[in-house]
Amino acid sequence: MLTREKNALVVVSPHLDDGVFSCGDLLARSRLSTVITVCTGLPENPARLTSWDQRCGFPTARAALTERLEENREALRLLGSDGVELGLPDSQYVHNWQPFIPLLRESLKNALARLHPRQVVMPLGLFHDDHIRVSDILLSLLYLFPAAVWMAYEDVPYRARPDAVPQRLSVIRQRGIEASRVATPCRSDRKSRAVWAYGSQLRGFGACPDDLIRPEGYWRLTPSEGGP
């Protein structure tokens, strides 16, 4: 089920690390892949400092985004993947994200239409508002790209939270989409090197999260009969 075909794989990443943390082994197996990263835009006040950016060692949001973009580009280079940056803001910088929802949907739809993926791998949508939001939008777009194989990845490190995965799977199934576990790709040294490219994020965690050591997890998504 985890296809190796050239131009086959598109991974959607809410933030500048999620795609590699959660799908690095899968990306390493693909001869040509693309990671679409959603939250890559500066906030209205680029001089502000959030608690997470401070933990990662940054003095401002601008400094954080500048370095994180370079980290992500280096990680994707190590995996041999292309990158698409949608330029929407991280929720840590926005009081009300609701006005950005239409732009998020249109940006994801247009990006997928341009890439013509054979396989779309999206976040399951665990815990974090940005992850849930991106996942919900992609679930609504699944029906517009029926030729693609759709899968959801277990969001690292949020999948380690008790019952996070089964609770989200229940929500997805209630939306008329079947979810079935598929094989896990083999571990890759290339993923390990790519993970270490995210030095600022590892500082924020205090160390490499234990969840990164576990095998990646994937679920095939299929609209059930009677779905939209």
Side-chain angles (χ1 to χ4, degrees), residues 17-50:
D17 60 16
D18 296 315
V20 172
F21 280 12
S22 301
C23 304
D25 290 327
L26 180 59
L27 289 165
R29 296 175 70 236
S30 177
R31 286 178 291 173
L32 183 60
S33 58
T34 300
V35 176
I36 301 172
T37 307
V38 174
C39 298
T40 61
L42 273 174
E44 289 186 6
N45 177 12
R48 68 175 298 181
L49 179 62
T50 65

Side-chain angles (χ1 to χ4, degrees), residues 63-80:
L65 188 61
T66 299
E67 184 167 331
R68 293 194 66 194
L69 284 167
E70 288 305 312
E71 289 175 344
N72 191 61
R73 291 164 185 163
E74 173 62 10
L76 297 185
R77 185 192 67 79
L78 290 168
L79 290 170

Side-chain angles (χ1 to χ4, degrees), residues 8-201:
L9 179 64
V10 170
V11 170
V12 182
S13 179
H15 303 113
L16 291 159
D17 60 16
D18 296 315
V20 172
F21 280 12
S22 301
C23 304
D25 290 327
L26 180 59
L27 289 165
R29 296 175 70 236
S30 177
R31 286 178 291 173
L32 183 60
S33 58
T34 300
V35 176
I36 301 172
T37 307
V38 174
C39 298
T40 61
L42 273 174
E44 289 186 6
N45 177 12
R48 68 175 298 181
L49 179 62
T50 65
S51 59
W52 176 252
D53 285 347
Q54 187 173 35
R55 282 176 60 184
C56 293
F58 297 115
T60 64
R62 182 186 297 278
L65 188 61
T66 299
E67 184 167 331
R68 293 194 66 194
L69 284 167
E70 288 305 312
E71 289 175 344
N72 191 61
R73 291 164 185 163
E74 173 62 10
L76 297 185
R77 185 192 67 79
L78 290 168
L79 290 170
S81 298
D82 294 327
V84 173
E85 298 160 2
L86 295 189
L88 281 86
D90 191 312
S91 62
Q92 67 173 326
Y93 302 133
V94 178
H95 177 68
N96 178 18
W97 221 92
Q98 193 64 29
F100 294 97
I101 294 291
L103 178 58
L104 171 61
R105 189 178 196 279
E106 193 67 13
S107 297
L108 286 171
K109 183 178 73 172
N110 290 342
L112 292 174
R114 287 194 306 272
L115 293 168
H116 298 290
R118 293 176 183 268
Q119 185 177 51
V120 180
V121 185
M122 54 173 274
L124 197 56
L126 304 179
F127 178 69
H128 195 293
D129 286 347
D130 290 331
H131 287 240
I132 297 168
R133 188 180 295 117
V134 169
S135 180
D136 283 345
I137 293 292
L138 287 166
L139 290 173
S140 74
L141 295 177
L142 181 153
Y143 302 95
L144 299 182
F145 299 91
V149 173
W150 284 75
M151 297 198 312
Y153 61 80
E154 296 178 355
D155 316 38
V156 175
Y158 305 122
R159 64 174 177 171
R161 291 174 168 267
D163 298 323
V165 170
Q167 288 175 2
R168 181 60 177 171
L169 289 172
S170 178
V171 170
I172 289 173
R173 288 166 177 150
Q174 289 171 15
R175 295 184 60 164
I177 298 172
E178 294 298 323
S180 54
R181 186 179 287 279
V182 297
T184 297
C186 297
R187 301 302 299 270
S188 169
D189 289 341
R190 292 171 67 195
K191 175 179 179 175
S192 298
R193 292 194 295 271
V195 164
W196 286 106
Y198 296 100
S200 70
Q201 301 311 287

